[in-house]
Structures are given as C-alpha cells and as structure tokens.
Amino acid sequence: RWIKFEEKVEDGGERWSTPHVPALPLHSLFQLRTCLQKGTMLLDLDATSFKEIIDKALSGQPEEAELQPALRERLAALLLLQPQHQPTKSLLQLLAELAVAPCRGRKPARAACPPAAPAQGSTHAGPSLAHGFSSFLAGKAKGRSEPRAQLSKTPLKEQLRNRFKKKVPPGAEAAHVAVGEVEFLEKPFAAFIRLRRATSLGSLAEVSLPSRFLFILLGPPRVKAYHEVGRAIATLLTDELFQRVARQAEHREDLIAGMEEFLDELIVLPPGKWDPSARIPPPSSLPSPRRRTTVDPLDQQPRGNGDMAAAGDRGGPGHPHSGEELERTGRLFGGLLRDIRRKAPWYGSDFWDALHPQCLSAVLYIYLATVTNAITFGGMLGDATANMQGVLESFLGTAFAGFIFCLFSGQPLTILSSTGPVLVFERLLFSFSQDHSLDYLELRLWIGLWVAFFGVVLVATEASHLVRYFTRFTEEGFCALISLIFIYDSLKKMLSLADAFPINWQYRLDNVTSYSCTCNLRRLFNPILTCLTTLHCPPPPFIQSPLAPPAGLSRTQCLDRGGHLLGTSCQFVPDVTLISFLLFGGTFLFCTALKRFRSSRYFPVGVRKLVSDFAVILAILASCALDAALGLETPKLLVPSELKPTNPARGWIVFPFGANPWWVCLVSAVPAVLVTILIFMDQQITAVILNRREYKLQKGAGFHLDLLCVSLLMVTTSVTGLPWYVSATVISLAHMESLRKESATSAPGEHPEFLGIREQRLTGLAVFTLTGVSVFMAPVLKHIPMPVLYGVFLHMGVTALNSIQLTDRVRLLLMPAKHQPDLAVLRHVPLRRVHLFTAVQLLGLALLWLLKSTTAAIVFPVMV
C-alpha cells in the first residue's frame, strides 16, 4: 500500500513494514507504458459498482485482444472475489492474540494475498492531488481455488473500524491496483479505468473511501513482471504531477505524455553501487510540485560553489518586505490606518482561535517565564533606583502594559518586558538625579512624555517603513545577543547561589568529628551575671551557665537573642547548591527532551503531541516534585504579597511639577531622543523577527499600530512610576514556538506539516492577567524553586539561539568539509565566503557584548 510512501507486508503476514521510498526497476516502467499503450483504457466511465466496472472493462477490449466469453466470465468471477487485507492491529489486539494462540494451537502464517485471486490494492488521492495511498498484494490464481466470499457492495465492519483511516488525509480518494498470474489466460489483460465521479466500491479498499482510478493487469504465469508493473503504476498514482495529468487526460496519448514527463525526472541508481533490498527512508522534506514544474532537473544539481545569484532566492525566508505592511502611503497616519483596517476583520477570531488545549500550555509556560523575568528585572531596578521601582512595580507594570498591548496591538503574540538597555538608562538617570539634586520620578515622567510624543510622530510619518532595510545580518545579530544574554543571566544566577549557599571546599571525611556549630550567648550573659554577683542574688532559673545556652536553640533564635554562631560548619548549607544545579540542569534537559518527544517513535501521535505541547509545564512539575520530595531549603520564588510601593517615600501618581525647576520639562527632550531611538529599534527589530515568512502568519503584521501602543503606554507607566516596557525577543519567540500548528494527519513516513502559528490574543491576555493577580497567589508560587525557573530561561535562550541561521554556520566552522550537511547555501556560495560572513557576524556580536557590558549599553540598539 502507498500513502506518499510504500509499505509492504513483512514475511509471515503479521505487520506492515516501515514506510520507504519505492525503488522501481526501470524495465517495469517500460512494460507499464506498453500496457497503457495497448491495453483497455476507459476514461470518465459512468459506473456505480465494481461489478459494473468489470463488465464494461471486459467488454471494451480491442478486437485483436478480445477474450472469449467463457474466459471473460471466469475472469469477472475472479476479480469479484473479496480481497484479503492486512489489518493494522493495536498493541492490545496483538497481546490478546498472543494469549489465545496457545489455546487454539499453532496455525500456519497467513499469506499476504489469497492464492485464488489476483492482487487487489488501493491508492488514495485527495481532490487537491496532494496525497496518495496505495496498497498492493501479489497472488497467483491456479486451476482450483478455495471457496471465497464475493465482494460486498457495502463497506464491511472491518473497514469502518480500521484505525489506519486516521492516517489518510481528509478528502482523499482511492485508486485500486489488481495484478496477478492466471493460468487460464494465454495473453495478458490490462485495463486502466478512470471514473467520472468518485464512487464507493463497497469492501474493495482497505478503508472505506470513494474511488476514482483502477488498474488491472492479469496474465499467464510465464510472464513474471506483473508485480513490479503493479508497483510502478501505484507509485505513479501517488505522484502529484501524474495525478494531475491522469485527472485531466482526455485521450490515451495524454496519459502516455504524463508518464514520459515522469520518466524525464527519473534518476537511475547504478546496480553495483547500492543494495536493491535496502529500504530508502523517507526524506525530511519533499520538493513542491511547483518547483518540479518550473525548475529544470539539470538545474537542481550542484554546479559548484560560486553562484551567488542562484542562492539569492534560497537564502531562506526573511522579512515581510514584499507585503503591504511596510509600504508608505504618503498620508499622515496612513500606515496606522492601514494596520487597523487589516487587523479589524480578524479581531473576533483572535479570541475563538484560542479555544485549543495547546493555548493552555502556552499560557502556563509564558506566565512562569514572565513572572521570573519581572522578579529579576524588578530586583535589579530596585538596586539601581533605591527601590523607587521594585519588584511590585515590575509586576504591576508588566501586567498592565502587557494586557493593554495584547488587547489593542497589531501583533498580539508579542510579549512586553523590561530590557537591559532600559535598565542601564534607568541607572544612569537615577545617578544623574542624585548628583544634581533632582527628583528622579518627576524627571523620568517628562522624559517618558517626550518619548511618547516622539513615538506618535514616528507613527504619523510612517517611520516604520525603515524596517524594510533591516537585513538578516541585523536580525541574527540582535536575536543572538538577546539569546546569549538569557543564557548568561541564567548561568550567572545559578553561580551566585554559591555565595548565598557556600560549598564547604575544606570538608574532609576524617575531620567530621570537628565540624560543629553552636550558639554563643557569652556577650549577653556576662553583664547579667556581673550584676547578680554584686548583689549576691541567686541567678534566675533560665540562666544555666554563660557557656551553656538553652538546648535546641535555632539559628534565628540565637541571633534574635543577641548571640552569635561559633563553629566550622556554621557558614555552610549542605546539599542546597548541589541540588539547585541538579534542578537547573534537569529542568533544561526535561524541557528539551519532552519538546522533541513529538518526533519520537514511542506512543501514539496524540500522546506525543500532548506531551510536547505541555513539555515545559511537565518539566517544571517534575522538578518541583523532586524538590518537595527531598525537602531541602532551596531558594524559592518570592512574590510581593502587599499592594504598596516598594519605597514608602513615593506614591502611585507622579506629579509633573513641584519638585524640580520648570526648565526640566524642556531639557528632558534631549535624553528622550536617545530613549526614543532605543525603543524604536528594540521594538521594530523584534517585530521583524516575529513576522518572518517562515512562521506562515495569516493575519498580517502591525508595525505602526504596535509602535503606537508602546508609545502611549509610556505615558501611563511614566505617570504611575512603573517601569518602561518594550517587546521581549526571546520570550516572544518562545510564545510563538509554543503555539506552532502542525497537520493533524500525516501519511506513514511523512513528517507532520508545519501549518503556521495559532494567532490569537487570549494567551497573552491570560498571561498578564495571571501576572497581575500573582500577588494573591504568593502562597502557591512560593513552592517553585528558582533554579527550576532559571532552567526554563536557559531552555528559552538555547531554543531562540538554535532558531537562527548563524548557529548552523558556526557549527560549520567546527566541521571538516566531508562531514558538513548538504545545505542549500553551500551548493551556491563558496565555503570561504560563508566562513567570512560568519566571522564578521561573530566579531560584531562580540563588540555588541562588550558594549552591553559598559555604561554605553544604552546605545546598543543603535549599534545593532
């Protein structure tokens, strides 16, 4: 049988083989062409049953090949016998048969096809000519045959219950192939039949599907090529281009011409250079029919490394430069209005398209990433601004800005967050305010208002059209830097645990008896005992001895009573650092392994998809369960539990006048220009990366609308003293990757087809709503270890880094030429130029990293 690829019944007739690319003898194709030229051909036949088809095929023979009436009757009776198909059995059915087999006794293996009937098979092809399936059985009809049932006019229960139907694409049709040796025939009988309308032929096919094509080849035993001819026509009927010809053919010559085109594309393997019994595994991707019809076969061969022009169209999908999103209208706010008109028809579907279990997984995954990011940046902002902006402000700002952006933006899959350059600017601005005795929040308010004004001006003048000049070099440099920052920060946070929970490097097993930690209350007891001795009073009962503190006194109780800890093991917390690193690495490996579980060989497709969709959540739950089972005091996620400003000296509203001189509102425009450039570059580079063509987005982008939303949010966050927000590249990429759509059904051996991203607004809205109410979920969130979330950060950074071409080209630097993969770029671009381009990108990336590590990091987006 065939669905895209060939499957054979293994010896013993108990299981189907793995799908493989069919390898056909060249002679069988020539014999097939002869059968099509000389055999019976019925095109657009009107028939409603298989018996009617057989009768018209036998009566429509050419005069020179017409059979005798007796032979026609015997042949019709043979073809109308019920074929035997190899059912696809579940594991439970196989175990049940294995258990019952000893009771029934051993039976001989059932043949793959009945000895009294020719091969009966079927090929399924969809109306769009995009899919094919064929099953094929070879048999030999002898003089006497065992009694067999006749073909049923209605589908059998086995057909309706066949689990294999799940593999057949929706809208598929069946084509049947019947070949075999018949002793009572003296010359071959061949017929190719195409029905005018696809018709269900009862129990003929393995699964119940409408049928359109049939091919019959029966002949005397002295000819031994029938089996290979049947495989050849089944392979042709699964070829998309030949299907198109077979559907549209009006004469025999049209069908022959279609086969000649197939032969023109044929590639012959020399017989002594490969094993004909080897099964060629299906490729990971197939060329599209359009490419096969427009590209000459000779042009598909590698011509050496030097044709840069030929590689131009093969460079991989990039930016949406060819769309209308970035075309200038020449009118004020013209691009914004076009974005609104483009996105408005999709607004309703942005909510009901989210009604899928995959979206629940995405919400939980991105929520935990967003919360961790808010805590991290909130803590750093608190350190940089004397808690004028802290963790609580980071939580509230993330929830508010993200929710509004997802509700009104042009690309709601974008996740807003604080970024490194903004943090550097906040630190510099706070230092400047302290040095010149200015109110930090008021100065920041005026800068934010100017940034919002400049952003609206950029939207009005359609400045976003400059995005079309962003190249792959720019995108990959920016994405690689942000990904490396995520990886570096996660590792840095883990290494800092060695300071909070130091490791006892001087530990020696022989010295275990000397390790102790006691509470010393000497400084507290000595003055009291001196007073008691002077007055000659007996000591109170709670004072036993100046050197003997109460038994069981905890570390906290000891310090609260004014004592101090003495001993060689007081500064060490055993096992916490070790288990933290194990949780960190385990979470990362769990996420990676479970994400790849979709392409595993184990368990049914539905289970694999479910595990892959919830990979990150399952990894987090497993790591949290391990941490709870061990019971160690690993650092946990701490969320603010009170709605009050981190710094009591500030309120929730920042007033524009009063604390600073009047001229500050004018001078603030100067730093606002720099922040505007920072926000514009950071926002638009991320937008370009998210709207790449390879993501197959259907609802369009909204560059102008996104920039307007970010600009207006600057007003609100500045007035309330909340952090400024812009698109977060890595978290947004993780959001999109968690919403990938793939084809529900795929032929055996065929990889699921990537259909695009589940474009909707609900996941983002749910993420930021949960972020806002996290203050009330502190009792639950406090059980999540921070190393687990750092492991998720590492997974996000590595995943984003692997999604860019730069990573593949860096790997090429470490590979000898003979081990390098057969990439399209290497076929048309000299290897030395590929390495030169990669080296220049790495040099630029290193310079950006050095720039990021200094106080000049605020100009980082401009340098990109």
Side-chain angles (χ1 to χ4, degrees):
R1 69 186 181 192
W2 281 253
I3 293 187
K4 291 278 189 180
F5 303 102
E6 182 181 17
E7 295 177 87
K8 297 179 179 178
V9 178
E10 304 286 20
D11 293 339
E14 292 294 334
R15 65 183 291 270
W16 286 100
S17 69
T18 57
H20 54 275
V21 178
L24 303 174
L26 188 61
H27 192 62
S28 66
L29 291 168
F30 295 148
Q31 288 183 318
L32 174 61
R33 182 172 58 183
T34 302
C35 293
L36 295 178
Q37 289 173 341
K38 299 182 178 181
T40 303
M41 182 166 294
L42 302 175
L43 301 178
D44 292 335
L45 179 67
D46 285 318
T48 57
S49 66
F50 188 59
K51 183 178 185 306
E52 185 178 355
I53 295 172
I54 296 301
D55 292 340
K56 291 185 178 181
L58 293 175
S59 61
Q61 287 185 284
E63 294 183 1
E64 63 274 9
E66 187 174 2
L67 296 174
Q68 297 295 326
L71 291 179
R72 287 206 300 267
E73 291 181 4
R74 295 183 65 182
L75 201 56
L78 184 65
L79 289 171
L80 291 175
L81 292 177
Q82 172 64 45
Q84 292 183 358
H85 297 290
Q86 172 64 33
T88 303
K89 299 179 181 179
S90 65
L91 179 62
L92 294 178
Q93 289 176 323
L94 293 175
L95 293 176
E97 291 181 2
L98 185 64
V100 176
C103 302
R104 295 181 177 177
R106 175 170 296 185
K107 295 184 179 180
R110 185 176 58 180
C113 66
Q120 297 279 357
S122 57
T123 301
H124 298 304
S128 61
L129 307 175
H131 302 282
F133 166 83
S134 146
S135 69
F136 180 83
L137 302 171
K140 182 182 294 185
K142 300 184 179 180
R144 294 182 301 171
S145 61
E146 300 176 4
R148 291 281 307 282
Q150 293 292 316
L151 189 73
S152 173
K153 294 183 180 180
T154 57
L156 302 176
K157 293 182 179 179
E158 291 77 8
Q159 290 176 283
L160 300 176
R161 297 174 181 175
N162 197 333
R163 297 168 57 249
F164 185 72
K165 192 171 183 179
K166 296 180 180 180
K167 294 289 185 180
V168 180
E173 296 176 353
H176 304 274
V177 178
V179 299
E181 299 175 2
V182 182
E183 289 185 345
F184 57 79
L185 288 181
E186 297 180 356
K187 52 186 177 181
F189 166 74
F192 181 86
I193 304 163
R194 184 185 71 197
L195 302 180
R196 185 182 299 275
R197 290 178 296 274
T199 305
S200 177
L201 299 180
S203 60
L204 183 61
E206 182 180 357
V207 292
S208 179
L209 289 173
S211 306
R212 187 180 298 272
F213 293 101
L214 296 96
F215 178 80
I216 302 172
L217 176 60
L218 302 175
R222 62 175 179 268
V223 180
K224 299 182 180 180
Y226 303 132
H227 181 273
E228 296 301 329
V229 173
R231 292 181 63 240
I233 185 62
T235 303
L236 275 171
L237 288 173
T238 57
D239 182 76
E240 298 180 27
L241 297 184
F242 185 81
Q243 286 179 24
R244 189 177 305 166
V245 173
R247 283 177 177 272
Q248 299 174 355
E250 298 180 357
H251 306 286
R252 186 190 302 265
E253 291 74 16
D254 298 334
L255 207 62
I256 302 300
M259 186 172 180
E260 294 292 344
E261 293 180 4
F262 181 86
L263 292 173
D264 289 341
E265 293 188 70
L266 206 61
I267 297 176
V268 179
L269 295 176
K273 303 300 181 182
W274 76 296
D275 183 7
S277 63
R279 293 170 177 170
I280 305 175
S284 57
S285 61
L286 296 174
S288 64
R290 180 179 302 177
R291 182 179 177 186
R292 288 174 55 190
T293 55
T294 56
V295 180
D296 187 79
L298 296 178
D299 293 338
Q300 298 179 4
Q301 306 301 323
R303 295 187 294 259
N305 294 340
D307 189 1
M308 284 291 294
D313 295 336
R314 299 177 177 87
H319 344 84
H321 290 180
S322 59
E324 65 167 2
E325 293 95 339
L326 299 175
E327 293 180 0
R328 297 199 66 177
T329 63
R331 301 188 305 271
L332 206 62
F333 292 102
L336 175 64
L337 295 177
R338 189 161 53 184
D339 283 350
I340 295 175
R341 286 195 295 267
R342 184 189 310 112
K343 301 297 294 187
W346 300 102
Y347 198 79
S349 65
D350 283 344
F351 291 91
W352 61 68
D353 285 349
L355 303 179
H356 192 275
Q358 186 182 25
C359 293
L360 176 61
S361 168
V363 167
L364 298 177
Y365 172 29
I366 303 303
Y367 162 66
L368 291 174
T370 303
V371 167
T372 307
N373 196 55
I375 291 176
T376 303
F377 276 97
M380 291 188 291
L381 273 174
D383 295 337
T385 63
N387 285 330
M388 287 297 179
Q389 297 178 78
V391 175
L392 180 63
E393 287 80 6
S394 180
F395 263 82
L396 296 180
T398 300
F400 173 77
F403 186 90
I404 297 300
F405 186 87
C406 288
L407 197 60
F408 298 108
S409 66
Q411 182 49 272
L413 296 175
T414 304
I415 301 296
L416 295 189
S417 172
S418 296
T419 60
V422 173
L423 175 63
V424 173
F425 177 82
E426 297 277 12
R427 181 183 293 113
L428 295 176
L429 183 62
F430 183 79
S431 300
F432 178 83
S433 302
Q434 294 296 309
D435 295 340
H436 295 82
S437 302
L438 297 175
D439 186 81
Y440 161 69
L441 291 180
E442 184 177 318
L443 175 61
R444 181 179 178 274
L445 168 62
W446 282 108
I447 294 176
L449 295 178
W450 278 110
V451 171
F453 171 75
F454 291 147
V456 173
V457 172
L458 292 176
V459 173
T461 56
E462 299 180 297
S464 295
H465 84 282
L466 297 173
V467 169
R468 65 171 59 246
Y469 300 110
F470 291 170
T471 63
R472 178 179 287 274
F473 185 95
T474 305
E475 296 175 27
E476 290 187 344
F478 182 82
C479 186
L481 181 62
I482 301 301
S483 302
L484 290 175
I485 290 175
F486 261 68
I487 296 173
Y488 172 79
D489 285 344
S490 61
L491 294 174
K492 181 180 177 181
K493 289 288 185 181
M494 288 304 303
L495 292 175
S496 66
L497 289 178
D499 297 330
F501 305 96
I503 300 173
N504 189 357
W505 298 106
Q506 305 301 322
Y507 177 84
R508 297 293 181 271
L509 185 61
D510 289 340
N511 302 332
V512 66
T513 56
S514 63
Y515 297 138
S516 63
C517 182
T518 59
C519 177
N520 184 8
L521 299 178
R522 179 190 298 272
R523 290 177 297 182
L524 174 64
F525 288 141
N526 280 345
I528 299 178
L529 293 177
T530 302
C531 176
L532 292 174
T533 304
T534 304
L535 299 176
H536 303 285
C537 298
F542 67 87
I543 299 180
Q544 304 297 329
S545 169
L547 297 178
L553 205 61
S554 67
R555 176 180 179 274
T556 304
Q557 291 172 340
C558 177
L559 297 178
D560 289 344
R561 296 188 182 187
H564 65 280
L565 303 175
L566 289 178
T568 56
S569 63
C570 291
Q571 302 302 320
F572 306 107
V573 184
D575 304 326
V576 169
T577 301
L578 173 62
I579 194 60
S580 295
F581 273 93
L582 291 178
L583 291 174
F584 172 72
T587 303
F588 170 72
L589 294 177
F590 277 160
C591 291
T592 303
L594 294 179
K595 272 293 182 183
R596 296 178 180 175
F597 192 70
R598 184 187 296 267
S599 58
S600 169
R601 297 176 180 268
Y602 303 102
F603 299 102
V605 178
V607 176
R608 296 201 304 267
K609 286 184 177 180
L610 188 65
V611 171
S612 180
D613 289 341
F614 287 84
V616 178
I617 303 304
L618 292 175
I620 292 174
L621 292 177
S623 299
C624 291
L626 177 62
D627 176 74
L630 295 176
L632 294 176
E633 294 183 358
T634 52
K636 299 297 193 294
L637 177 63
L638 298 179
V639 179
S641 57
E642 295 181 352
L643 287 173
K644 63 180 182 179
T646 307
N647 191 327
R650 59 154 292 184
W652 286 118
I653 300 297
V654 179
F655 296 97
F657 299 104
N660 293 333
W662 64 269
W663 47 264
V664 170
C665 63
L666 302 178
V667 177
S668 301
V670 178
V673 173
L674 189 59
V675 178
T676 302
I677 297 174
L678 185 154
I679 296 295
F680 178 83
M681 297 294 292
D682 211 345
Q683 170 67 34
Q684 299 298 49
I685 292 177
T686 303
V688 167
I689 294 173
L690 297 182
N691 288 283
R692 285 176 176 171
R693 288 176 184 168
E694 58 253 42
Y695 290 121
K696 298 183 179 180
L697 301 179
Q698 302 297 320
K699 300 181 180 181
F703 293 94
H704 309 279
L705 183 56
D706 289 348
L707 184 58
L708 178 66
C709 290
V710 171
S711 300
L712 296 181
L713 284 172
M714 292 288 291
V715 177
T716 307
T717 53
S718 299
V719 170
T720 55
L722 301 178
W724 292 331
Y725 293 95
V726 72
S727 298
T729 307
V730 173
I731 300 181
S732 299
L733 284 174
H735 189 203
M736 296 190 70
E737 287 294 327
S738 65
L739 293 170
R740 290 172 63 92
K741 292 190 299 183
E742 293 183 346
S743 54
T745 59
S746 57
E750 182 184 24
H751 295 276
E753 180 186 1
F754 172 62
L755 303 178
I757 305 295
R758 203 172 300 279
E759 301 175 64
Q760 37 71 46
R761 299 178 184 271
L762 206 54
T763 55
L765 294 174
V767 164
F768 293 112
T769 301
L770 290 175
T771 304
V773 301
S774 295
V775 175
F776 307 102
M777 295 192 298
V780 177
L781 297 177
K782 69 179 182 181
H783 297 289
I784 302 178
M786 289 303 295
V788 173
L789 299 180
Y790 295 148
V792 174
F793 262 46
L794 179 64
H795 169 72
M796 293 168 58
V798 172
T799 302
L801 196 61
N802 287 331
S803 68
I804 58 177
Q805 191 190 77
L806 173 62
T807 307
D808 297 331
R809 286 187 276 106
V810 170
R811 294 192 183 105
L812 293 178
L813 293 172
L814 308 176
M815 293 183 188
K818 64 179 181 179
H819 296 302
Q820 292 175 352
D822 187 21
L823 301 177
V825 65
L826 296 181
R827 295 188 178 190
H828 304 282
V829 182
L831 186 60
R832 63 181 180 277
R833 299 195 67 178
V834 174
H835 288 340
L836 178 61
F837 183 77
T838 305
V840 173
Q841 271 193 303
L842 291 177
L843 179 61
L845 184 60
L847 293 176
L848 286 175
W849 184 271
L850 293 176
L851 181 66
K852 179 202 75 71
S853 304
T854 65
T855 55
I858 187 173
V859 298
F860 143 71
V862 182
M863 297 300 294
V864 173

